[in-house]
Amino acid sequence: MATGDRAGNGTGGLHLCRVSGVPVLLSPSWWLGAAVVVLLYTPLVGELLPGAGVWASALVATTFTVFLAVSVLLHELGHCLVALRLGLPVRRIRLFLLGGISEISRSPPTPFREGLIAAAGPAVSLALAASTGVGWFALQPHGAVWLLVAQTCVANLAVGVFNLLPGLPLDGGRMLRALVWRLTGDRHHGTVAAVIGAVVVSVGLLGWALAGILTEAQGRWLRLAVCVLMAWFVIVGAVSEYTSGRRERWPVGAELRDLLRPVLQLPAESPVGDALLAAAGRGVVLVRADGIAVGLLDGDKAVRLAESSPAEPAERAAEEVRPETVLLDSESPELVLQRVHGAAAKQFLVVDGDGKPCGVLWRSELRAAARRHGTA
């Protein structure tokens, strides 16, 4: 029900399958969510299917929970496949207590791509609602099969519409952020707008749940449980997005050259232990005999390798230099940030107009500078 710009932590849960190379995991919290849905939905099934016993109602409720999980998975696959199509790696898909998340390894570099990825999930859910809606009206309006088809249609419609609400971390919030980003040229302004939207969405959810209780609506306790959980999910997700967004802005008053480590070029075959000693806080470009840069020395990898095999070539502890990890020293801060957000790398080689290395920018040091000096 949401896309994530950063990879998550932990194992993530039970491995179900892989789709286009992306693992699909069932989080431990999903079982809790499934138990709650079955517990609260079983009495409702008994009301909708007169004569059905408790166990038959529980079986229908359990089947519906599985259908709902499959629907959420298809929703997330919409995000995942579009992201992969646009060249953004997806670490995994997780199904959890409140739905699902596609963990995209890096932020979309443009508002168009963010909006397109965000829109893919609700589009899948609404398509599922339309297809099951045909079955709903084609079947005779009685029996467990009719009820399952009808409720799956309603559930997908609810998932699609809910995710279009304009608040982070919902897809509608990401679409709002993309729109404001496009209009203002600043992703953070879009994040602020979508966080405000999240507050409005959360208040609306709690108000709807309260209205159900006051009017004694059918399924009001299920509505209350879902609305409270969703409101909590939206607020926590919005705060996380806002905090992350502030870390990813440009430090006030800083120039790109102020954030660079001096650069040192070493032969790629240099012993990794010697390369570490020579680095001394500098960025190290490892160059082959033919003059081609093979990578930047990754300090963490180099330390681990040097502990066991200090004479191994430093190339074995290199982070590859790719076109997207090379920055021009003349690029604006906004463009540098966009390039950094769009690449899965810890460090970036900065070159001048003639292609000569003039420094190395570390993602972590850019974030640290933003925390120390504030953001523009």
Side-chain angles (χ1 to χ4, degrees):
M1 297 173 67
T3 55
D5 291 341
R6 302 289 185 268
N9 299 320
T11 59
L14 177 67
H15 183 274
L16 296 179
C17 62
R18 283 182 178 270
V19 179
S20 295
V22 177
V24 178
L25 305 177
L26 193 66
S27 170
S29 68
W30 181 86
W31 300 98
L32 174 61
V36 170
V37 171
V38 171
L39 181 64
L40 296 178
Y41 188 54
T42 295
L44 182 59
V45 173
E47 295 178 16
L48 296 173
L49 295 178
V54 173
W55 292 111
S57 298
L59 179 60
V60 172
T62 301
T63 304
F64 170 71
T65 303
V66 174
F67 284 5
L68 182 60
V70 172
S71 298
V72 171
L73 174 57
L74 293 174
H75 175 106
E76 294 305 324
L77 285 175
H79 294 307
C80 173
L81 296 177
V82 171
L84 292 173
R85 182 71 176 177
L86 294 176
L88 295 173
V90 180
R91 184 184 179 211
R92 61 187 178 180
I93 294 173
R94 283 191 302 141
L95 305 181
F96 59 99
L97 175 64
L98 300 177
I101 187 168
S102 301
E103 295 180 358
I104 301 173
S105 297
R106 60 177 186 261
S107 302
T110 65
F112 173 75
R113 292 188 181 189
E114 171 143 33
L116 194 60
I117 293 170
V124 170
S125 294
L126 294 177
L128 288 171
S131 60
T132 51
V134 173
W136 180 4
F137 289 103
L139 292 171
Q140 294 295 321
H142 58 78
V145 173
W146 169 81
L147 179 61
L148 283 171
V149 172
Q151 294 291 359
T152 300
C153 172
V154 171
N156 276 285
L157 182 62
V159 168
V161 171
F162 176 71
N163 273 277
L164 288 174
L165 295 177
L168 284 171
L170 302 175
D171 301 323
R174 296 183 186 280
M175 294 166 70
L176 174 61
R177 174 165 64 188
L179 176 61
V180 176
W181 180 9
R182 176 68 180 83
L183 294 176
T184 66
D186 190 327
R187 190 173 192 266
H188 186 66
H189 289 164
T191 298
V192 171
V195 167
I196 294 173
V199 174
V200 175
V201 168
S202 298
V203 171
L205 285 170
L206 296 177
W208 187 55
L210 180 60
I213 294 175
L214 294 178
T215 59
E216 297 185 352
Q218 189 178 51
R220 57 189 176 277
W221 298 114
L222 177 60
R223 181 197 297 188
L224 175 65
V226 171
C227 285
V228 169
L229 287 173
M230 285 301 180
W232 173 81
F233 167 75
V234 168
I235 289 298
V236 170
V239 170
S240 176
E241 291 275 355
Y242 180 77
T243 303
S244 175
R246 285 191 61 83
R247 288 198 303 265
E248 298 295 346
R249 301 195 76 201
W250 194 261
V252 171
E255 299 290 339
L256 177 58
R257 61 177 177 272
D258 301 328
L259 305 174
L260 300 183
R261 289 190 179 191
V263 66
L264 172 68
Q265 294 190 47
L266 289 177
E269 63 272 14
S270 301
V272 66
D274 295 346
L276 274 174
L277 291 174
R282 292 175 288 189
V284 178
V285 182
L286 299 172
V287 183
R288 290 200 301 252
D290 57 7
I292 301 298
V294 297
L296 297 169
L297 186 69
D298 185 320
D300 295 334
K301 289 182 181 178
V303 168
R304 291 194 296 269
L305 182 60
E307 287 176 351
S308 58
S309 307
E312 286 291 325
E315 183 176 359
R316 290 191 56 193
E319 183 176 4
E320 182 185 4
V321 175
R322 306 186 303 275
E324 61 267 29
T325 62
V326 178
L327 308 174
L328 287 173
D329 64 350
S330 59
E331 290 178 334
S332 66
E334 292 77 14
L335 183 55
V336 170
L337 276 176
Q338 182 176 315
R339 298 279 303 281
V340 170
H341 291 162
K346 294 192 296 185
Q347 50 186 333
F348 298 79
L349 179 62
V350 180
V351 301
D352 60 22
D354 297 324
K356 180 181 178 181
C358 55
V360 174
L361 176 66
W362 280 61
R363 183 191 298 272
S364 60
E365 292 177 355
L366 176 59
R367 289 177 176 172
R371 288 194 296 270
R372 287 195 305 269
H373 303 297
T375 54

